[in-house]
């Protein structure tokens, strides 16, 4: 019986030592992986401190004629979609600071945003045009600009 005790102790010591080695090496690896990273102060990080600007678009709602009651829900839904499109473009602008070349913002953000806005404005005009005179010239309200 006394002979089995040393073997048991050797295994226990080996097992505990191995577990400690794994835990320590994991801590060291995590330390190296996080080295050089600093926590955000105030919710901002260095990439967004330069202020990429904001995207501003003409107000479509103020340029619309009287909206028939039958088209009100669809027009309101599309006006909300226009606001959502601007918010998404502004978020993308912040997320892609420093990427691409000199025309990146125009080609990757403003151009596609204008295409989406044209489609949405056309849906608004079509909804109004089903029961009243279809408004013309709303496509000119689709273009947006970057303000710094």
């Amino acid at each position: 019986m006394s002979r089995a005790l040393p073997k048991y102790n050797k295994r226990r010591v080996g097992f505990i030592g191995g577990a400690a080695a794994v835990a320590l090496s994991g801590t060291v690896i995590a330390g190296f992986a996080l080295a050089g990273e600093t926590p955000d102060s105030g919710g901002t990080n260095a990439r967004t401190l330069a202020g990429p600007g904001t995207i501003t678009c003409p107000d479509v709602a103020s340029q619309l004629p009287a909206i028939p009651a039958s088209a009100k829900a669809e027009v309101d839904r599309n006006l909300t979609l226009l606001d959502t499109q601007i918010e998404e473009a502004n978020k993308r602008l912040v997320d892609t600071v420093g990427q691409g070349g000199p025309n990146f913002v125009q080609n990757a953000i403003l151009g596609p945003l204008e295409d989406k806005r044209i489609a949405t404005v056309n849906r608004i005009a079509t909804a109004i045009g089903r029961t009243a005179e279809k408004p013309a010239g709303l496509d000119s309200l689709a273009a947006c600009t970057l303000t710094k």
Side-chain angles (χ1 to χ4, degrees):
M1 190 160 161
S2 62
R3 288 184 188 166
L5 191 58
K7 287 183 181 180
Y8 177 71
N9 282 338
K10 286 180 186 177
R11 279 186 258 169
R12 183 174 56 182
V13 169
F15 179 73
I16 293 172
V22 168
L24 182 60
S25 63
T27 305
V28 170
I29 291 170
F32 280 122
L34 297 175
E37 290 189 16
T38 57
D40 288 349
S41 58
T44 60
N45 60 32
R47 191 173 59 147
T48 59
L49 292 177
T54 57
I55 295 174
T56 55
C57 303
D59 183 31
V60 175
S62 64
Q63 302 296 321
L64 293 176
I67 301 170
S70 60
K72 180 93 170 110
E74 185 175 355
V75 170
D76 288 344
R77 186 174 53 251
N78 282 304
L79 289 173
T80 303
L81 181 60
L82 288 172
D83 292 338
T84 303
Q85 291 167 351
I86 296 170
E87 290 170 12
E88 289 172 353
N90 277 318
K91 182 183 180 313
R92 183 150 188 240
L93 184 66
V94 169
D95 291 345
T96 58
V97 169
Q99 291 183 9
N103 295 326
F104 176 78
V105 172
Q106 178 60 43
N107 295 337
I109 299 173
L110 291 177
L113 176 62
E114 183 176 358
D115 293 341
K116 290 177 188 177
R117 285 178 58 86
I118 287 172
T120 305
V121 167
N122 283 338
R123 284 194 300 268
I124 291 171
T126 301
I128 293 172
R130 286 188 193 117
T131 54
E133 184 177 341
K134 183 176 181 178
L138 292 180
D139 286 352
S140 64
L141 302 173
C144 298
T145 58
L146 177 65
T147 57
K148 297 261 177 180

